[in-house]
Amino acid sequence: MAAVALLPRPRQLEAGEPPRAREQPRVEALHGEVRADPYHWLRNRADPEVIAYLEAENQWAEAGMRHTAELQACLYREMLGRIKESDLTVPYRYGGWWYYTRTEAGRSYPLYCRRRESLEAPEEIYLDQNALAEGRAFHALGGMDVSPDSRFLLYLEDLTGAREYTLHVKDLATGAVVDRIESVWTGTAWASDGRTFFYVTADSAKRAHAVWRHVVGAPRETDVLVFREDDVLYNVSIQRSRSGEYVLIASEAFTSSEWWVIPAAEPASAPRVVAPRRPGVEYSVEHGAEWFYIYTNEGATNFKIVRAPTEEPGPAHWRDWLPHREDVFVEGIEVFRRHAVVTERADGLRRLRVVDLATGEAHHITFPEAAYGVFPAENPEFDTEVYRFTYSSLVTPISVYDYHLRTRELVLLKRQEIPSGYDARAYEVHRFLAPARDGAQVPVSVLLRRGTPLDGSAPALLYAYGAYGITVEPTFNSHVLSLVDRGVVYAIAHVRGGQELGRRWYDDGKMLKKKNSFFDFIDVALELIRRGYTRPERLAAMGASAGGLLVAAVANLRPELFRAIVADVPFVDVINTMLDASLPLTAQEWEQWGNPRDPDHYAYMRSYSPYDNVEAKAYPWILATTALNDSQVMYWEPAKWVARLRALKTDRNPLYLRTNMAAGHTGASGRYDRLKEIAFRYAFVLDAVGQGLGG
């Protein structure tokens, strides 16, 4: 590649002159259209000019935000003050040990601890992530797995943020790492003998595609390939059933599934398929006693649960255990020796259905608030009468409960402490339905400080995700209080693409219906304005990853509706990414976004892809963030988008690109550095809507 000329770095620039990447034309034809990609060269991270450009943009962002330094420091102190720096999680029992995680003030990472039999027994720190991360700019754990006899620990370590994992086997009796396997993927499962385990590897596009069997201490070249998936639409995962009787292998695409089982006591036996894959049929498997409980969409748009004998689990033997219901979306099932807990969603809210497996008697765990989130917690033991979950709402801090499945007693074990002080009575939660242009009703959750005027004068931040069927729950976020306490209305738009209102809500926000997500967001913004929560010049939008795509698309569609846009690790170069099957996620996501080699898919993507639709017009304030080692949304997507915006936009509003040069998709790994990143984003929003230190 020829060297690409750049303007000098910001410290050498005249005041007010941003860095500009020069264009290097790259033209290709697709479906009769000639497409120009003038910033394609930014994909080459080995080119010093690329790094120089990213660093120049970083310096420009820092210079442009320098006047908010005091505000950023204030936000950081506030958010840190709401965190109990020295804290521990509620212990859970597994294999005769009590496990918990502990944090200490001043240390960025947790300590993983356990005590034998009793909580009064001496503490054993079986993994100190601070020690592992010492001297490193980034450190993440991709998973941990203790052997059934409690002797060995498997842990996956990522040192770059690029999801490149090394598997370590630690002997917990001696503290020594006794085995190491490089270049693995997430997912492990132990056999019953406590010496044999299964792990996953990925192909060159970071698609999990193979399962291997390994014996602790044996050379890697002796590992046995147990399962391999060659269809690029499918990803492989592995787990041990809660009962401990099976190792479960899943090969799943967005619209089809196939599960295989291996008796954990016979790890060398060949995998046995539960049900061969069929187009459009998704399913997953849980084991309980002599039955497999199978969560599936076969003939059930909102999913149902069937049961089949473990010896004959095929579809011919599937019998409805929890039938399909049009008004209830089934999200999953957890099976224990005597009970099952089904996660369901009705009227947009999650509930827990408890079933006695002997009698079939069922009841629901109920919750008091009108909008909330409830999530399964650690429940590793099969033979138990107690189910643990977490609960929170926009005003209720995260609370850990034990529910006694037989007696129905609900016990609060811990509620998140806010050391600097917190009074839920100072806030209000509103929930309403916003009318979409096609007649759909979009749920909206709103948090505001009591007494905030509803005359359009308040600033607001509207957040959404809207993809992959991921539901954004209205849960507690202590960081957001730094905005709300400054008079900002915080709103969540539960747009199509998530599953807040069932499977159809998801299906209506993907593929050739993806633009519903964008239109829903715009229509929610209009409804917030109509109801007096805010007005356009005081309204900001925020989204990350696929949510970054959403807010970037909205910036093209209705730029005048928003004062500011924060697009974190945004998926904005849709067509170019979906044309390149060598990139992580691309091939599998042809069933999520479409394949641009299909003319109809291409035309639809072309109509909304943010990078391809930048125009010569005025845009809101824009902050885009990315990370050099991001393997899910490559850094060059927001870099190219910002370069094109800078070349074409007609306004003088701030436009910043901020790249973390030592992290991946989720940003900084240490908790203190992460808070600083959030403070930067919030300062940008507050500055834009006139609510900074002097606002």
Side-chain angles (χ1 to χ4, degrees), residues 233-313:
L233 296 180
Y234 288 76
N235 280 292
V236 172
S237 62
I238 191 165
Q239 65 189 77
R240 177 183 167 96
S241 68
R242 181 180 284 105
S243 68
E245 294 188 29
Y246 289 95
V247 170
L248 308 172
I249 299 172
S251 186
E252 297 179 296
F254 279 108
T255 60
S256 178
S257 315
E258 186 174 75
W259 284 62
W260 300 70
V261 298
I262 300 172
E266 304 169 25
S269 60
R272 177 166 57 102
V273 70
V274 172
R277 66 191 65 178
R278 290 171 287 166
V281 176
E282 301 170 54
Y283 74 93
S284 62
V285 177
E286 283 264 332
H287 174 250
E290 71 272 23
W291 302 98
F292 285 131
Y293 292 80
I294 300 165
Y295 165 75
T296 182
N297 71 336
E298 185 178 31
T301 301
N302 272 339
F303 285 76
K304 64 181 180 179
I305 298 171
V306 300
R307 195 169 71 167
T310 56
E311 295 307 311
E312 296 179 296

Side-chain angles (χ1 to χ4, degrees), residues 446-468:
V446 179
L447 174 67
L448 65 162
R449 192 161 181 90
R450 196 170 297 279
T452 299
L454 298 182
D455 59 2
S457 64
L461 175 64
L462 180 59
Y463 174 85
Y465 185 73
Y468 302 106

